Amino acid sequence: MSRNRYDVVTLFDVFCVVGQGDGGEKTILKKYPEDFNDSTSLRNVVLFSFPFNSSNEEEAVQLFTFVLTNEKSQYTYGYCRYTPAGVLESLLTHAYHVPIPAPRETLIIESGFGVNLVVPDSNRLPTLRDNKQLLELYSAMNVDQLIALYASLLHERRIIFTGSKLGQLTSCTSAATMLLYPMQWQNCYAPLLPEHMKSYLQAPIPFLFGVPRKIYQVDDNLSKAVVIDLQKHTFVSPYDDVHALPSEVVNGLRHQLLSSADMFLSDRFARSFLRANVYLFGNYRAGLKYSPVCSWDKDQFIQQQRSSLKIFLESLLGKEGAQYLERFLEERVEAINAGEIIHDEFEKEIMLMDKNFFRSSLVIFNFLTLFHLEAL
């Protein structure tokens, strides 16, 4: 005959946090549900959570179980996680005083928990395996939606991610900015928009917000916003930004994102969008002017492009330009004037294009072929 209870109606009877009270005795500090009032069970929870009296606290985190037997000889199971006093404080103390490691160095925190991990290199493109945020974005959106998101970012739209899972919401909103690498989103940005800042959704300026479903409401004032619903897996935009992209970019991205067997282990996902950015802006040096210091001229840059790309860039940059590109070019010009050598992944891809597709005085970009080449 089973000794398990048959009167179970909820997944658990009660959740308790047991610790030291004001008088030093062990007591229940918090419980859920609050109206659980079986005094015998609650008293036993305290006793079994700390099964012996000792002035010496255990030094390790422990997981253990106990069993309560009722008057019918039926079992109620208890599951405990014991965290010794001072463990968290020890971790924080060690972490606060540990030297900041350089990229690719090992971070070691010697405490009760123990931390040992390799610091990622921000100069390298992330992989889906190592970057949780990119993996969340890749898993939540299909290829056409990813390309549409990229096009919306290029045009600096009002972009809203919404969903009920805060981890997924903030990860996807954060990962969206990585599609512009090496450029960075320069407009209003909040991976998690709290309720007291909800009025920001009415701002008539570009933004990128992660809005929890509980506070997001569709209204007419958001009719010109791009909305990605992570739970419904929908992408809604009043614009046709994908159609405005050069067909080589759209076809190249779609081909690469659909055909890469090693997407998870390699940096192919991030590199696909990097190569799209190189195709669009990699010939930025055509806009450089020296008189005598270096500066950048937008009109000169556009005029140096071939006709199909020129039309897109004229429309994209317009009179006001794109803030992410302007800031990127400011930093590039500053580096050139300072005599610094620029050798990031963006420049490596430009060199790859120059090496394979140089024609006369202009760089001719064959985007589809480029996707089959490996970076230097």
Side-chain angles (χ1 to χ4, degrees):
M1 178 179 177
S2 173
R3 298 185 64 177
N4 294 328
R5 287 167 43 197
Y6 291 95
D7 60 346
V8 177
V9 294
T10 56
L11 189 61
F12 63 92
D13 290 336
V14 63
F15 169 84
C16 298
V17 177
V18 183
Q20 186 168 291
D22 294 336
E25 77 286 358
K26 298 297 189 293
T27 186
I28 293 177
L29 304 176
K30 182 179 180 180
K31 65 177 179 177
Y32 182 89
E34 294 183 357
D35 60 358
F36 184 88
N37 56 12
D38 185 335
S39 59
T40 300
S41 294
L42 293 174
R43 182 172 62 255
N44 283 324
V45 164
V46 175
L47 295 174
F48 280 86
S49 296
F50 292 90
F52 50 85
N53 292 320
S54 174
S55 58
N56 297 322
E57 296 278 359
E58 295 292 326
E59 296 182 354
V61 174
Q62 299 185 60
L63 302 175
F64 60 97
T65 64
F66 62 83
V67 176
L68 303 180
T69 306
N70 64 15
E71 65 276 9
K72 297 180 181 179
S73 297
Q74 295 174 329
Y75 291 155
T76 295
Y77 298 89
Y79 299 89
C80 292
R81 183 183 190 276
Y82 171 77
T83 304
V87 169
L88 179 59
E89 290 78 5
S90 174
L91 174 65
L92 294 176
T93 299
H94 283 82
Y96 191 81
H97 293 93
V98 73
I100 299 176
R104 287 185 279 179
E105 289 186 351
T106 301
L107 171 64
I108 300 176
I109 302 176
E110 297 177 351
S111 69
F113 287 111
V115 175
N116 190 313
L117 55 87
V118 177
V119 178
D121 187 349
S122 59
N123 292 321
R124 291 187 173 185
L125 293 178
T127 67
L128 295 180
R129 179 187 62 183
D130 297 329
N131 191 295
K132 174 184 177 296
Q133 295 177 334
L134 271 185
L135 180 60
E136 287 273 18
L137 182 68
Y138 176 73
S139 302
M141 302 179 68
N142 62 41
V143 169
D144 288 335
Q145 290 173 339
L146 287 168
I147 296 174
L149 171 62
Y150 172 66
S152 299
L153 290 165
L154 288 176
H155 284 86
E156 296 184 311
R157 302 302 187 191
R158 300 162 70 204
I159 304 173
I160 298 171
F161 280 87
T162 187
S164 58
K165 300 177 182 178
L166 296 185
Q168 182 191 47
L169 178 65
T170 54
S171 290
C172 290
T173 309
S174 299
T177 65
M178 302 181 195
L179 305 187
L180 291 175
Y181 176 85
M183 297 163 287
Q184 297 180 345
W185 180 262
Q186 298 294 321
N187 299 286
C188 288
Y189 170 59
L192 181 61
L193 190 75
E195 189 167 9
H196 75 275
M197 295 178 63
K198 186 179 177 181
S199 60
Y200 281 59
L201 292 173
Q202 312 305 325
I205 57 176
F207 57 64
L208 176 58
F209 291 153
V211 185
R213 180 177 296 281
K214 288 185 178 180
I215 67 173
Y216 173 74
Q217 294 179 348
V218 179
D219 57 45
D220 293 336
N221 292 330
L222 297 178
S223 60
K224 293 186 178 180
V226 176
V227 180
I228 301 99
D229 192 312
L230 297 173
Q231 263 59 63
K232 295 180 180 179
H233 303 287
T234 57
F235 183 102
V236 178
S237 173
Y239 308 100
D240 193 8
D241 292 332
V242 174
H243 181 74
L245 278 174
S247 59
E248 300 95 329
V249 173
V250 177
N251 294 333
L253 278 172
R254 183 175 289 116
H255 172 79
Q256 182 70 0
L257 295 174
L258 288 173
S259 63
S260 294
D262 61 343
M263 187 73 76
F264 179 71
L265 297 177
S266 72
D267 63 7
R268 191 62 59 87
F269 180 76
R271 192 168 296 278
S272 297
F273 290 97
L274 170 64
R275 287 173 173 170
N277 291 327
V278 170
Y279 178 86
L280 296 174
F281 309 115
N283 197 23
Y284 73 91
R285 291 178 182 269
L288 295 180
K289 299 173 67 175
Y290 297 88
S291 58
V293 297
C294 178
S295 62
W296 192 79
D297 186 290
K298 179 181 66 176
D299 294 332
Q300 177 177 305
F301 164 69
I302 293 176
Q303 291 304 316
Q304 291 291 324
Q305 312 306 314
R306 68 181 187 278
S307 58
S308 61
L309 189 55
K310 184 185 301 184
I311 295 173
F312 171 76
L313 291 174
E314 286 178 340
S315 173
L316 178 70
L317 302 181
K319 295 182 179 180
E320 298 181 357
Q323 291 191 37
Y324 58 84
L325 181 61
E326 289 182 1
R327 181 56 187 156
F328 166 76
L329 292 169
E330 287 176 4
E331 294 175 348
R332 281 298 196 264
V333 168
E334 289 174 0
I336 292 172
N337 285 326
E340 298 176 5
I341 298 176
I342 308 172
H343 194 60
D344 57 14
E345 292 292 339
F346 186 73
E347 297 294 336
K348 291 178 183 178
E349 287 292 339
I350 293 175
M351 291 173 60
L352 179 64
M353 285 185 171
D354 288 349
K355 180 179 179 180
N356 291 279
F357 305 107
F358 189 81
R359 299 289 185 273
S360 183
S361 61
L362 295 177
V363 177
I364 306 300
F365 300 108
N366 185 325
F367 196 55
L368 285 172
T369 304
L370 175 67
F371 268 137
H372 295 285
L373 299 175
E374 294 298 328
L376 294 178

